[in-house]
Amino acid sequence: MRSMFMGCTGLTKLDLPSEEQGHYFGTYANNFTECFYRCSSLQTLTLNGDFGKYATDLTGMFVMCSSLYSIDIGSGFGSAATRCISLFDSCESLLNIKFNPNFCQNATDISHMFYCCLKLTQIDFGTNPKIGQSVRFCNCMFQGCYNLRTIDLSSFVVNEDVSCGDMLNNCGSLESFRISDS
């Protein structure tokens, strides 16, 4: 599904079939790199059930979806992903996001994941004790998220050798930052 909807600037909404309807659209795809890149009119998106469950590469999946303000992430999305670089890069209208419990548990690189998500105020990574256990790079992860007030990474397993340069650069409204003590 690499670059499948890339540059569909007129796309405002996408209704994906659900598993309950007997469809497994996107469940077994392994590469979503730049799938929705520059879908600048896309406002809402629901990723049903196991959509993206076996995907290993989510690099730039939503880059420059500047009108995307709401995303509902299904139970399987991102659970096998190892690369989530720039996943929501420049999603300027994204207000908040809640991830499923298995999201990012195998990811090694989450750099620029929320780069310049200007309106983002909060992020909920859930309580999965495995989240972040494989992360090695989280550089510029929240850079430019000027309205982000709270970041709770207490569920992340943070290793000593993680590279996280400029992770919070230009987070001018940040009031609270929690990180795991493990």
Side-chain angles (χ1 to χ4, degrees):
M1 295 188 69
R2 180 184 180 111
S3 305
M4 186 172 185
F5 298 97
M6 180 185 231
C8 291
T9 56
L11 185 67
T12 59
K13 181 180 167 193
L14 185 62
D15 291 317
L16 300 174
S18 69
E19 291 149 17
E20 292 80 32
Q21 297 169 322
H23 300 284
Y24 297 93
F25 181 79
T27 298
Y28 298 100
N30 69 351
N31 191 332
F32 285 88
T33 300
E34 298 177 342
C35 185
F36 298 99
Y37 181 89
R38 215 170 26 108
C39 289
S40 55
S41 298
L42 186 62
Q43 296 176 1
T44 63
L45 185 63
T46 299
L47 304 178
N48 295 313
D50 286 337
F51 180 88
K53 181 177 184 175
Y54 299 103
T56 56
D57 198 342
L58 303 177
T59 300
M61 187 171 178
F62 300 103
V63 169
M64 295 192 327
C65 289
S66 54
S67 298
L68 185 65
Y69 66 87
S70 174
I71 185 165
D72 185 4
I73 294 178
S75 60
F77 181 75
S79 56
T82 57
R83 294 171 45 94
C84 297
I85 304 162
S86 298
L87 183 60
F88 298 103
D89 188 331
S90 301
C91 289
E92 299 169 354
S93 299
L94 195 59
L95 297 174
N96 57 54
I97 190 163
K98 182 176 183 177
F99 292 103
N100 69 65
N102 298 315
F103 180 78
C104 209
Q105 67 183 10
N106 296 305
T108 57
D109 196 341
I110 55 176
S111 298
H112 295 88
M113 185 183 268
F114 302 101
Y115 182 85
C116 285
C117 289
L118 302 176
K119 293 184 180 177
L120 193 63
T121 58
Q122 68 180 35
I123 300 170
D124 185 350
F125 284 102
T127 58
N128 181 353
K130 294 180 181 179
I131 196 165
Q133 68 182 356
S134 302
V135 169
R136 296 292 174 258
F137 303 96
C138 55
N139 299 304
C140 306
M141 185 176 178
F142 302 104
Q143 183 174 355
C145 294
Y146 190 79
N147 288 304
L148 193 57
R149 291 189 292 269
T150 303
I151 301 173
D152 186 349
L153 298 179
S154 59
S155 60
F156 265 57
V157 176
V158 181
N159 298 303
E160 291 179 22
D161 60 345
V162 173
S163 174
C164 52
D166 292 320
M167 182 180 184
L168 303 170
N169 191 359
N170 264 341
C171 290
S173 300
L174 190 63
E175 297 170 357
S176 173
F177 180 79
R178 285 184 61 197
I179 195 161
S180 169
D181 58 3
S182 59

